[in-house]
């Protein structure tokens, strides 16, 4: 059953086979989780929302108008669910915590890979700092494009904008990363030389 | 790439080919050389682009395994609950579908019973609808008996078995109703234009049937009510029976009485059906109403109920009763009626077309009595004399009244 393509699984689910939906869940749970914490840093809320998305699908069942399954639909559902939750909660401290946690997330990456050279550490730091300079919306777009490999039309669909806007969004984000990286390189070298001079 | 633009960070990362190549060569030690071959750019730039892709790939996180399982279990539990609910819903749905079908069936049967099942009297009446030239009496066995005279008395015995037709100028005739089953014995009298007949029903009720009328009635009134069906005009003198109301049914209204005298006019070719009460009291009902308990109106002597079928509206007003019932004594009585109205009545009685020519003639007011004979010629002679006018007969039998 694991080899079955997603469209078949979806159709089976719509015919009342809930095991098919469990398989889809298994395939997408980590991707959805990654996306969720990219939009909003609270693990628990993201988990709850993922569960809500699947329960919503079961509840709607046959009434869902999607006959042609696309994984993008799940991302869209999760995004809507998260924003809905955030709107209803509208908890300022949560939002502040989320903003604060973002930079940590990039820093953590360093520990996850084996870094060979000091030069590489420096490069990673600069890149992380450049990424951190993006707005949440821009980072979400970058995530969809470079982490989830969605095409522009899918990104547009998830974000609820037209394709041209999705393209512009990615373009501007990349440009911003490039510009802020240049700034960070300067800062890095000042910092680097400063450290060296102390030694 | 579109133009031979300078390779930079932004356009490299917008190039799907580049991204694929980076991902394909992630584990290769020669990654930089492979990339550089296709994308001759500054090493720093290429390395930064690769780094960007790597960092983003690392954004793919994993949800802790026990959370994955917990959510999965919740989803499965919810699916089971939903399945059960759907099953219950479908059972309820099936039952409600059955119930709906039954309900519709019952309603249809009821309506069928109420509307489509015709009154046996009405049913009988429609079997022979043609008003012929001679008056006929149709008995239960379907036998048709011509009544020779234009104004005779037809008398039913108490049990309805025997009928005597009393003629004025010839011998009386006797007929016998054959009673072969438990079905009520239904008889019918058809009165042609220019005729008028008196019937004494088995309960003693006397009916005078006007020209061009038809009365359907059971020879013996065996049910809880005494129902007769009338097309045309009849004057009823109903013998009193508190336990068995007498009902005159017409296409539009039903008139229910205990014992009284009244006139009913229900010609099929007229829009207005009327009931005019002479004595006692009558209730007028809508024919074909599901709930027949509420009368349209109750009349007191001297009142008439006029029901217009085209608008389904009824009007009750006081009338000069004599205007409506004088026909039963063989005359029309008019008081200040324009000639057109008089001619209309005469036309109806003889079933002939009479037209009036001239400007003043149609509105000439007529008062007095017009004796109805079986002969239109004598009536026309009498009329033209009174009017100081003359009349002509056209080749197709129509009459025209003209000024002299």
């Amino acid at each position: 059953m694991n080899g079955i393509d997603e469209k078949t699984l979806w159709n089976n689910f719509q015919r009342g086979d809930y095991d098919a939906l469990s398989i889809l869940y298994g395939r997408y749970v980590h991707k959805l989780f990654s996306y969720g914490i990219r939009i909003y840093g609270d693990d628990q809320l993201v988990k709850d929302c993922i569960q809500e998305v699947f329960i919503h699908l079961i509840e709607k069942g046959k009434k869902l108008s999607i006959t042609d399954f696309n994984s993008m639909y799940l991302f869209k559902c999760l995004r809507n669910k998260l924003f809905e939750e955030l709107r209803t909660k509208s908890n300022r401290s949560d939002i502040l915590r989320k903003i604060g946690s973002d930079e940590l997330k990039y820093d953590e990456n360093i520990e996850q890979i084996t870094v060979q050279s000091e030069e590489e550490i420096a490069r990673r730091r600069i890149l992380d700092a450049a990424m951190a300079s993006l707005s949440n919306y821009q980072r979400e777009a970058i995530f969809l494009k470079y982490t989830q490999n969605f095409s522009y039309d899918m990104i547009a669909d998830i974000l609820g904008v037209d394709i041209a806007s999705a393209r512009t969004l990615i373009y501007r984000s990349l440009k911003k990363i490039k510009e802020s990286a240049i700034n960070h390189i300067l800062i890095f070298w000042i910092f680097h030389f400063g450290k060296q001079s102390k030694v | 790439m579109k133009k031979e633009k300078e390779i930079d960070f932004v356009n490299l990362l917008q190039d799907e080919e580049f991204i694929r190549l980076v991902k394909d060569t992630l584990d290769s030690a020669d990654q930089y050389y492979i990339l550089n071959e296709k994308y001759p750019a500054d090493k720093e730039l290429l390395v930064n682009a690769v780094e960007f892709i790597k960092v983003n790939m690392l954004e793919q996180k994993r949800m802790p395994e026990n959370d994955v399982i917990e959510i999965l279990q919740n989803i499965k539990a919810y699916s089971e609950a939903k399945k059960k609910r759907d099953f219950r819903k479908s059972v309820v749905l099936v039952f409600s579908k059955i119930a709906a079908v039954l309900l519709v069936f019952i309603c249809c049967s009821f309506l069928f019973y109420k509307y489509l099942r015709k009154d046996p009297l009405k049913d009988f009446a429609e079997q022979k609808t043609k008003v012929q030239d001679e008056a006929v009496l149709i008995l239960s066995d379907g036998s048709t008996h011509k009544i020779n005279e234009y104004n005779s008395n037809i008398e039913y015995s108490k049990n309805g078995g025997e009928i005597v037709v009393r003629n004025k100028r010839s011998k009386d005739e006797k007929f016998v109703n054959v009673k072969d089953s438990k079905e009520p014995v239904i008889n019918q009298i058809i009165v042609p234009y220019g005729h008028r007949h008196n019937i004494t029903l088995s309960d003693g009720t006397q009916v005078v049937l006007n020209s061009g009328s038809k009365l359907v009635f059971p020879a013996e009134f065996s049910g809880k009510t005494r129902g007769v069906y009338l097309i045309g005009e009849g004057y009823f003198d109903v013998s009193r029976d508190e336990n068995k109301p007498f009902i005159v049914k017409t296409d539009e209204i039903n008139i229910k009485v205990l014992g009284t005298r009244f006139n009913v006019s229900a010609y099929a070719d007229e829009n207005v059906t009327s009931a005019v009460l002479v004595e006692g009291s009558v209730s007028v009902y809508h024919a074909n109403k599901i709930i027949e308990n509420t009368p349209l109106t109750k009349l007191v002597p001297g009142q008439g109920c006029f029901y217009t079928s085209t608008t389904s509206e009824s009007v009750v007003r006081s009338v000069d009763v004599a205007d409506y019932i004088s026909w039963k004594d063989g005359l029309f009585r008019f008081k200040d009626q324009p000639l057109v109205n008089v001619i209309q009545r005469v036309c109806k009685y003889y079933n002939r077309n009479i037209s009036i020519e001239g400007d003043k003639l149609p509105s000439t007011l007529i008062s007095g009595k017009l004796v109805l004979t079986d002969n239109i010629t004598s009536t026309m002679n009498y009329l033209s004399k009174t009017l100081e006018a003359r009349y002509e007969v056209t080749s197709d039998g129509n009459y025209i009244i003209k000024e002299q």
Side-chain angles (χ1 to χ4, degrees), chain B residues 252 271 286 289 296 306-315:
Chain B
E252 304 297 340
N271 280 337
H286 235 294
K289 262 272 165 81
L296 212 56
F306 300 86
Y307 180 88
T308 311
S309 60
T310 46
T311 56
S312 298
E313 279 170 0
S314 63
V315 177

Side-chain angles (χ1 to χ4, degrees), chain B residues 150-151 169 193-196 208-211 233 267 323-334 342-350 369-380 382-383:
Chain B
Y150 71 91
N151 187 359
R169 273 168 260 169
Y193 289 102
H195 286 221
R196 208 172 61 245
V208 186
L209 282 179
N210 202 355
S211 154
E233 186 164 20
Y267 282 103
D323 289 350
Y324 290 87
I325 65 165
S326 60
W327 62 266
K328 78 181 174 68
D329 301 315
L331 45 90
F332 281 153
R333 217 197 63 156
F334 300 106
V342 175
I343 292 300
Q344 200 184 345
R345 295 281 294 273
V346 176
C347 285
K348 175 62 70 185
Y349 193 82
Y350 293 105
K369 290 171 185 173
L370 180 64
V371 178
L372 302 167
T373 62
D374 62 339
N375 186 350
I376 188 172
T377 314
S378 61
T379 308
M380 289 305 292
Y382 180 77
L383 261 178

Side-chain angles (χ1 to χ4, degrees), chain A residues 50-141:
Chain A
I50 289 172
Q51 183 172 308
E52 283 298 307
V53 165
F54 282 89
I55 282 172
H56 167 82
L57 293 178
I58 293 166
E59 195 49 60
K60 289 282 165 185
K62 291 178 188 113
K63 285 173 215 148
L64 290 166
S65 52
I66 304 100
T67 46
D68 199 8
F69 178 76
N70 190 315
S71 60
M72 162 215 94
Y73 177 67
L74 296 175
F75 285 82
K76 207 170 153 183
C77 277
L78 178 64
R79 185 176 200 268
N80 290 342
K81 194 83 216 162
L82 270 168
F83 279 111
E84 194 184 298
E85 286 294 317
L86 290 174
R87 258 198 302 278
T88 51
K89 276 191 173 178
S90 138
N91 193 325
R92 264 190 77 84
S93 66
D94 270 2
I95 294 166
L96 286 174
R97 190 157 59 83
K98 169 210 165 196
I99 294 164
S101 72
D102 279 331
E103 275 162 76
L104 287 171
K105 283 265 144 50
Y106 279 100
D107 288 344
E108 281 163 15
N109 290 337
I110 299 164
E111 274 78 50
Q112 286 172 17
I113 51 165
T114 48
V115 179
Q116 282 141 3
S117 65
E118 209 171 313
E119 192 197 333
E120 217 161 317
I121 296 171
R123 197 189 309 284
R124 178 67 44 94
R125 268 190 200 286
I126 290 161
L127 206 53
D128 283 346
M131 291 283 275
S133 72
L134 293 178
S135 74
N136 288 334
Y137 191 47
Q138 286 171 324
R139 260 183 307 204
E140 186 183 350

